[in-house]
Amino acid sequence: MAPGNFTRVTEFILTGVSDRPDLQIPLFFVFLVIYGLTVAGNLSIITLTSADFQLQTPMYFFLRHLAIINLGNSTVIAPKMLINFLVKKKTTFYYECATQLGVFLAFIVAEIFMLAVMAYDRYVAICNPLLYMVVVSRRICLLLVSLTHLYSFSTAVVASSSVFSVSYCSSNVINHFFCDIAPLLALSCSDTYFPETVVFISAPTNLFFSMTIVLVSYFNIVFSILRIRSSEGRKKAFSTCGSHMMAVTVFYGTLLFMYVQPRTNHSMDTDKMASVFYTLVIPMLNPMIYSLRNKDVKAALKRYLTNPYCSFKSM
């Protein structure tokens, strides 16, 4: 077809989670509750770990940044998604879509590597406790967090730029509730070899390296815990990493379910459900996992509720 027969896309239409009109209002309230809990939970973690004098350790420094990432990731998706439940035409402008994809990728890649950094932190704390404050010093913490955000930003710029370097003509209906890579490339009217290659190399590489760090760290952690003779000592050591192990299992389990499933079983409906989980449900669950299973966080919250002025350090 001649290029002149194409109409260049200036906006996209999102199909949303469901196209059934009778489900729009119920789904709006469901996801409004999820997003409300996400904001409240992650802001609580950020506030407590920033201000409470007993939570000024590397573990809670990394937890604060994970909460920031979770809050950001959810906020990139949820507000637009909630608006689209209430309107008939679920449109998003071309550059708005590009921005959403870029910011989403930055946060999701940052979360992948922040979980790896937190696994390394737990490895040092349990396997080399005497060197913990030296190996995971404040300078090292800042360096690890800075590198995580710098790498995630660079990856997002490259991936999103490659996705929007192709042409989009005529067809503009995205079969998703946000601007994601696969449904966008499905609409392209030009060769998608380059962006597909970028994604094919980047996504598995990031997942492989982060999972390798997590698995090696927890292999050594489990080995060290099993060498502890007292059951009380093993229980105490496990409690310091139990919350993180649960968060890692839920997050990586969802990603593996999405990316490792056979192509014959692959569908956009499955992708939507998996995307709902890692963009909206997991950011809501993480504060619950870390607060309900962590006695230090629960104690900090109790101190704040009983005497907020004395329990918090001066900012």
Side-chain angles (χ1 to χ4, degrees):
M1 186 179 290
N5 293 333
F6 287 117
T7 301
R8 191 167 186 83
V9 169
T10 57
E11 65 179 22
F12 295 99
I13 298 173
L14 298 163
T15 60
V17 176
S18 173
D19 57 2
R20 289 179 54 181
D22 58 313
L23 291 179
Q24 300 307 300
I25 298 302
L27 286 173
F28 169 80
F29 285 108
V30 168
F31 286 105
L32 180 63
V33 170
I34 290 174
Y35 182 57
L37 291 173
T38 300
V39 172
N42 284 290
L43 282 179
S44 297
I45 294 291
I46 294 167
T47 303
L48 289 172
T49 56
S50 297
D52 191 85
F53 66 96
Q54 291 191 19
L55 299 182
Q56 305 309 303
T57 63
M59 180 174 73
Y60 296 110
F61 175 79
F62 295 133
L63 178 58
R64 176 163 69 252
H65 281 273
L66 179 64
I68 293 170
I69 291 167
N70 283 161
L71 181 60
N73 193 19
S74 184
T75 300
V76 170
I77 307 297
K80 182 70 175 179
M81 179 187 185
L82 290 171
I83 292 170
N84 285 341
F85 281 124
L86 304 177
V87 297
K88 286 187 177 181
K89 194 176 181 183
K90 304 172 175 61
T91 58
T92 180
F93 293 111
Y94 182 90
Y95 290 106
E96 181 185 3
C97 187
T99 302
Q100 185 185 52
L101 176 63
V103 178
F104 161 72
L105 290 175
F107 280 123
I108 203 71
V109 173
E111 184 168 2
I112 288 172
F113 283 98
M114 189 56 65
L115 289 171
V117 167
M118 292 174 74
Y120 172 73
D121 169 73
R122 292 300 82 208
Y123 157 72
V124 177
I126 293 173
C127 300
N128 296 286
L130 297 178
L131 298 175
Y132 180 61
M133 296 310 297
V134 176
V135 176
V136 194
S137 64
R138 181 167 180 80
R139 180 179 294 181
I140 296 297
C141 290
L142 291 171
L143 178 63
L144 289 172
V145 168
S146 299
L147 288 175
T148 296
H149 288 298
L150 180 62
Y151 176 76
S152 62
F153 176 78
S154 303
T155 302
V157 168
V158 172
S160 59
S161 298
S162 67
V163 170
F164 281 89
S165 67
V166 299
S167 300
Y168 294 95
C169 324
S170 302
S171 180
N172 67 337
V173 180
I174 300 175
N175 187 17
H176 217 311
F177 60 90
F178 73 100
C179 295
D180 202 2
I181 293 173
L184 271 167
L185 291 179
L187 301 179
S188 177
C189 57
S190 62
D191 184 19
T192 59
Y193 176 77
F194 176 68
E196 286 177 348
T197 303
V198 169
V199 174
F200 180 77
I201 294 173
S202 178
T205 301
N206 291 335
L207 202 56
F208 172 78
F209 278 111
S210 61
M211 284 191 68
T212 299
I213 295 169
V214 170
L215 291 173
V216 169
S217 297
Y218 275 107
F219 175 82
N220 285 284
I221 287 170
V222 171
F223 186 72
S224 296
I225 290 175
L226 292 177
R227 292 172 61 187
I228 300 174
R229 294 187 177 183
S230 68
S231 58
E232 187 64 29
R234 287 195 297 269
K235 184 179 178 182
K236 184 178 180 181
F238 182 76
S239 67
T240 65
C241 61
S243 298
H244 183 254
M245 286 179 67
M246 185 181 297
V248 163
T249 302
V250 173
F251 182 74
Y252 283 115
T254 304
L255 290 183
L256 288 175
F257 169 78
M258 184 172 178
Y259 290 110
V260 179
Q261 60 178 313
R263 280 287 173 186
T264 54
N265 299 332
H266 198 81
S267 71
M268 283 310 302
D269 288 337
T270 304
D271 282 358
K272 284 182 186 180
M273 291 304 102
S275 298
V276 164
F277 209 77
Y278 69 74
T279 60
L280 299 169
V281 177
I282 289 178
M284 177 192 70
L285 291 178
N286 277 347
M288 298 180 186
I289 292 172
Y290 283 103
S291 59
L292 295 178
R293 291 183 55 86
N294 190 301
K295 63 180 182 179
D296 292 334
V297 174
K298 288 190 288 186
L301 182 59
K302 186 178 179 180
R303 284 194 297 273
Y304 172 72
L305 293 175
T306 54
N307 196 343
Y309 297 105
C310 294
S311 62
F312 276 49
K313 68 184 183 71
S314 59
M315 298 298 289

